[in-house]
Amino acid sequence: MVFFRKEDTIAGTNKAAAETDDFTTLKQALDRAALPPAAAKIAAIELERLKKTDPSQPEYAISHGYLTFLADLPWAKATDDNLDLKRAQTVLDTEHFGLGPVKERVLEFLAVQNLRNQRKFDLLVVDDERIARTNLAYLLAKEGYRVEAAANGLEAMELLNKRRFDLVLTDLKMDKMDGNQLLEAAKQLNPDIQVIMITGYATVGSAVEALRKGAAHYLPKPVDIAELRSVVRQLLDRKKQLQINRGPVLCFTGPPGTGKTSIGRGIAEALGRRFVRISLAGLRDEAELRGHRRTYVGAMPGRIMTEIRRVGVNNPVLMLDEIDKIGQDFQGDASSVLLELLDPEQNNRFVDHYLDAPFDLSAAIFITTANVIERIPGPLRDRLERIDFSGYTEMDKLTIAQRYLLPRQLAAAGLNPQTIAFQDAALLKIIREHTREAGLRGLEREIAAVCRKLARLCVMDPAGGATPSVDEPMVANLLGPGKFVHETRRAEGRVGVVPGLVWTEAGGELMFVEAGIMAGGQQLTLTGSMGQVLQESAQTALSYVRGQAAAFGIPADFFARSDIHIHLPSGAIAKDGPSAGLTIAVALISLLTQRPARPDVAMTGELTLSGRIMPIAGLREKIMAAQREGIRKVIVPKANAADLQRLEPELVEGLEVFLADDVAAVVAQALAEPGAPHSSI
Ligand code: ADP
């Protein structure tokens, strides 16, 4: 006989009660979550398993964790959209300076959402019994649909031939043409049409046949009104969602810190939706997106479902950030996962391996961002509509800093934005000497640093530590010497060192191309992480200069006795593209003629072997970089003249632009006379 101590039995009872409680709470949570049938089935099986598992077993915790995750997901939770465009415009305008074309495109996007959302659906009711068809038509019209009725299949086909319907509700048994024949004929006419079959002779066989032929649903007579309403609404909601999401996915493209995330957030705010941002930079494994199967120890859901659970609704604005930066060593096909995610036909059944049941993501709005869209594989890129964020001018940055960044950072540092002001000159000093970027990240960081230092002064010396008006010397004092000095502001040029304008993922940049010569024999060395295209440009430039040596007053046999070395600084950063060809040729001519290059004249252009100057991409970014770096004159291919015309006049203000189609003219603009004062490398 076994004797229990009293404490044991009490503890045992409590434990059992706690388990029951736990189980009931979980079951209730699952009921509340309104799981769709497929997930509900899995949940029921898992609940049964949990019931039979001893809580001390590790399987219990795994099973419990899984069910909690299922219950936590927003299967049926969504926010209502605010489709007021005027309000959307105000939201975008008040929070963002400039970005005119971007805002316009975003508003068009929202307008299309709005119209698609408001579209009324056309329904056709087909029944040979007059009363049945009138009742059905009346009921559906009351639900807000546009409804027409037909007394038989032939009459229905006549209507279907005349105009487009979204949904047909038809009786199965009818004279002349029955429901199944109508279904086939209607589908032939319009494969997208949805058909609900209704019949008084409900048999499993007839239902299966109708569904096999492509009916969307099957309802027995007498029709249960609540069921009918719900089936029709579900089918049409899905159709509406597909329509809303069809069309390209927006891809915000541009350098870091240019407001891509911020505009994405603005769209969510304008629509009254939640915002989720998932960075894909450095993603290495499909499982990071889609989760691990539960058979793995420590399996977890992927990032998408984790974020959906966190945000608590199934229709957020979901920003997939930096889709061009998915890790090089990605296991599996990254773009096919993304294609599936972005395709409205497929993302209503998104399967996370951990979840193991399809989740409907079709109500979410996907927005992607990329620094360089060209890096995205073709099929995925085709799904995207590129919207360019090209960067800000100095004046834009100043305005944004005064209006947005400064008040935010002052408040973050605990200072009162009303009592402390920054002079424009102080901010310009930060912009020019402490940052070198197309966007605003560095600027915001530096402003934050100044604000923190001011806060410290305020606290340490409340009487007079922090001035209410921050000026240039104060910034110099707080931030120390500038990080960036403008080489272009040097008075003298150098031989063989030519400022070129290049385009990188951080936006436009000024880069000094260096050419050197040494005794040797016919060897060309290229350094500075040059890509294939850039290397070929350098070879072409050298061949061009050798071929035209006489015209430039260069000894014809210079290469026979020497080696040439071309270097692009910031050696660790990979560079590629054809647009440095012209700069390399001019650097060589400068070197070989000993004519120093003017430090404030920068150029860009692709050079062919015969000396033609071909157009380049990224003109806007390059012009901005020239402005930022204090360049006085830019040399641009003549073939880019139309692009130049399209730029806002203030972008080129104060900048002399020389349109070039001939290397000799470029040389005349960019190089000083031999013997002009210059400094050595
Ligand atoms: P990205 O996503 O392109 O890297 P962010 O959206 O994170 O850039 O922007 C960086 C910072 O600059 C944010 O604080 C953002 O609010 C601010 N910002 C960017 N563009 C603007 C703008 N046009 N007006 C106001 N603030 C801006």
Side-chain angles (χ1 to χ4, degrees):
M1 188 184 252
V2 183
F3 291 95
F4 288 107
R5 279 185 296 149
K6 196 173 165 211
E7 303 88 276
D8 282 347
T9 27
I10 291 173
T13 325
N14 283 345
K15 208 165 140 228
E19 276 158 28
T20 321
D21 266 3
D22 198 21
F23 187 82
T24 321
T25 319
L26 199 52
K27 194 165 175 338
Q28 282 167 350
L30 282 165
D31 288 343
R32 273 197 308 274
L35 270 56
K41 212 161 133 192
I42 297 178
I45 297 171
E46 197 66 36
L47 262 178
E48 269 312 299
R49 186 176 303 157
L50 185 76
K51 211 175 186 176
K52 290 187 200 129
T53 312
D54 185 334
S56 61
Q57 297 286 317
E59 287 79 19
Y60 185 90
I62 294 173
S63 191
H64 194 276
Y66 173 68
L67 285 165
T68 312
F69 183 68
L70 274 188
D72 277 355
L73 283 177
W75 297 95
K77 278 194 211 138
T79 47
D80 287 333
D81 277 352
N82 183 335
L83 289 164
D84 178 354
L85 268 202
K86 289 229 171 69
R87 182 178 162 273
Q89 183 157 17
T90 317
V91 169
L92 291 176
D93 280 343
T94 45
E95 287 176 18
H96 299 94
F97 171 80
L99 295 177
V102 170
K103 288 180 193 164
E104 261 171 44
R105 181 62 191 91
V106 165
L107 287 172
E108 284 163 22
F109 172 80
L110 295 177
V112 172
Q113 296 260 332
N114 190 327
L115 284 185
R116 286 187 175 151
N117 202 36
Q118 283 176 8
R119 202 191 131 218
K120 279 206 166 184
F121 286 106
D122 291 290
L123 271 52
L124 177 62
V125 173
V126 193
D127 201 315
D128 47 6
E129 261 181 65
R130 200 174 60 84
I131 296 189
R133 111 179 142 247
T134 328
N135 280 350
L136 218 69
Y138 171 75
L139 202 119
L140 292 166
K142 247 179 68 185
E143 292 284 294
Y145 305 115
R146 281 194 299 239
V147 191
E148 290 214 28
N152 56 52
L154 291 181
E155 221 174 80
M157 279 316 294
E158 223 170 274
L159 281 168
L160 286 169
N161 268 313
K162 264 197 240 146
R163 61 189 200 81
R164 225 181 51 93
F165 284 88
D166 298 288
L167 179 68
V168 177
L169 294 101
T170 178
D171 192 16
L172 177 63
K173 278 259 186 303
M174 289 183 297
D175 280 348
K176 294 182 193 154
M177 186 184 216
D178 73 4
N180 276 333
Q181 286 168 316
L182 173 62
L183 167 67
E184 267 178 60
K187 282 265 168 198
Q188 222 159 34
L189 208 60
N190 170 12
D192 280 347
I193 204 159
Q194 311 255 34
V195 177
I196 297 179
M197 197 66 75
I198 303 174
T199 180
Y201 312 92
T203 63
V204 175
S206 57
V208 168
E209 193 190 347
L211 293 177
R212 196 175 50 77
K213 287 204 166 119
H217 225 280
Y218 186 89
L219 292 174
K221 272 183 180 175
V223 175
D224 174 346
I225 294 177
E227 190 183 2
L228 173 82
R229 274 201 195 112
S230 133
V231 167
V232 170
R233 190 170 319 128
Q234 259 177 28
L235 287 176
L236 294 178
D237 273 357
R238 169 89 196 108
K239 189 158 184 161
K240 186 187 272 181
Q241 211 54 62
L242 272 178
Q243 275 171 357
I244 291 178
N245 290 344
R246 207 166 268 160
V249 172
L250 301 184
C251 180
F252 294 170
T253 308
T258 44
K260 300 184 291 299
T261 313
S262 197
I263 286 279
R265 218 180 274 283
I267 294 180
E269 196 182 325
L271 281 169
R273 293 200 185 199
R274 309 247 168 95
F275 181 74
V276 179
R277 177 169 164 264
I278 299 179
S279 174
L280 300 186
L283 196 76
R284 271 178 295 114
D285 195 342
E286 196 182 325
E288 284 180 57
L289 271 186
R290 264 188 197 285
H292 289 100
R293 286 186 198 291
R294 269 180 301 135
T295 40
Y296 284 87
V297 178
M300 283 197 315
R303 286 197 212 171
I304 306 279
M305 291 319 298
T306 306
E307 285 301 317
I308 290 287
R309 174 203 206 177
R310 192 183 58 75
V311 78
V313 287
N314 61 20
N315 68 339
V317 170
L318 219 159
M319 180 171 261
L320 297 171
D321 218 6
E322 305 195 308
I323 59 168
D324 57 332
K325 294 256 181 60
I326 292 185
Q328 296 287 310
D329 49 351
F330 187 86
Q331 307 277 319
D333 183 359
S335 59
S336 77
V337 184
L338 289 179
L339 271 173
E340 182 189 328
L341 202 58
L342 299 177
D343 181 359
E345 304 277 353
Q346 295 184 60
N347 65 14
N348 64 326
R349 302 180 300 271
F350 179 75
V351 176
D352 177 286
H353 293 318
Y354 175 81
L355 182 61
D356 206 21
F359 189 89
D360 186 352
L361 280 175
S362 62
I365 293 182
F366 288 91
I367 295 177
T368 57
T369 82
N371 290 140
V372 186
I373 199 165
E374 286 74 17
R375 260 205 308 246
I376 301 170
L380 179 57
R381 201 168 58 216
D382 290 346
R383 274 290 285 133
L384 305 175
E385 177 182 334
R386 163 189 192 145
I387 296 186
D388 282 316
F389 286 63
S390 57
Y392 298 106
T393 62
E394 230 170 59
M395 283 302 124
D396 288 344
K397 288 183 184 176
L398 180 63
T399 315
I400 295 175
Q402 286 286 22
R403 284 198 209 157
Y404 302 92
L405 309 182
L406 196 56
R408 196 153 63 215
Q409 293 306 332
L410 281 169
L415 297 163
N416 183 351
Q418 254 80 53
T419 55
I420 299 184
F422 275 51
Q423 291 179 7
D424 283 354
L427 285 172
L428 279 174
K429 189 177 176 66
I430 304 180
I431 294 170
R432 288 182 183 147
E433 293 174 24
H434 293 268
T435 68
R436 176 174 281 178
E437 57 180 359
L440 299 157
R441 286 204 188 156
L443 179 57
E444 189 161 25
R445 204 166 37 237
E446 295 298 328
I447 291 178
V450 176
C451 292
R452 280 196 307 274
K453 288 176 199 295
L454 285 176
R456 180 171 161 201
L457 286 180
C458 252
V459 174
M460 289 178 66
D461 184 5
T467 22
S469 170
V470 178
D471 56 10
E472 255 185 283
M474 183 91 183
V475 166
N477 224 340
L478 294 175
L479 286 183
K483 294 190 193 103
F484 302 102
V485 260
H486 286 297
E487 291 219 30
T488 50
R489 302 223 163 98
R490 306 157 64 110
E492 292 162 357
R494 288 182 286 176
V495 166
V497 181
V498 177
L501 291 167
V502 297
W503 184 82
T504 69
E505 63 185 75
E509 264 183 56
L510 186 79
M511 198 169 279
F512 287 82
V513 171
E514 297 181 352
I517 185 163
M518 57 230 78
Q522 307 214 354
Q523 207 173 351
L524 173 65
T525 310
L526 303 171
T527 54
S529 306
M530 295 192 190
Q532 179 72 21
V533 179
L534 189 50
Q535 292 190 18
E536 287 173 6
S537 297
Q539 282 157 358
T540 310
L542 177 61
S543 299
Y544 169 76
V545 173
R546 286 175 67 191
Q548 299 295 317
F552 292 110
I554 299 167
D557 60 345
F558 76 91
F559 201 44
R561 295 168 277 108
S562 341
D563 287 348
I564 295 280
H565 186 155
I566 293 166
H567 177 68
L568 262 59
S570 303
I573 299 169
K575 311 163 192 78
D576 210 355
S579 70
L582 178 64
T583 324
I584 297 173
V586 175
L588 284 169
I589 296 168
S590 159
L591 175 76
L592 298 165
T593 57
Q594 288 295 300
R595 292 171 67 178
R598 297 195 167 97
D600 54 358
V601 178
M603 65 194 70
T604 171
E606 177 176 350
L607 185 68
T608 68
L609 203 50
S610 59
R612 278 194 306 140
I613 299 176
M614 308 288 285
I616 47 88
L619 182 68
R620 192 169 200 277
E621 288 80 1
K622 288 176 180 172
I623 295 280
M624 279 186 178
Q627 290 280 23
R628 194 162 69 228
E629 302 288 342
I631 290 286
R632 181 178 56 82
K633 183 189 282 186
V634 286
I635 299 173
V636 170
K638 204 173 227 165
N640 283 105
D643 300 330
L644 197 67
Q645 288 289 322
R646 276 195 288 274
L647 295 183
E648 305 92 291
E650 59 270 25
L651 268 186
V652 257
E653 209 175 80
L655 201 63
E656 208 182 308
V657 182
F658 180 79
L659 291 171
D661 61 353
D662 162 42
V663 180
V666 174
V667 168
Q669 296 288 328
L671 302 185
E673 285 314 308
H678 66 276
S679 45
S680 50
I681 296 177

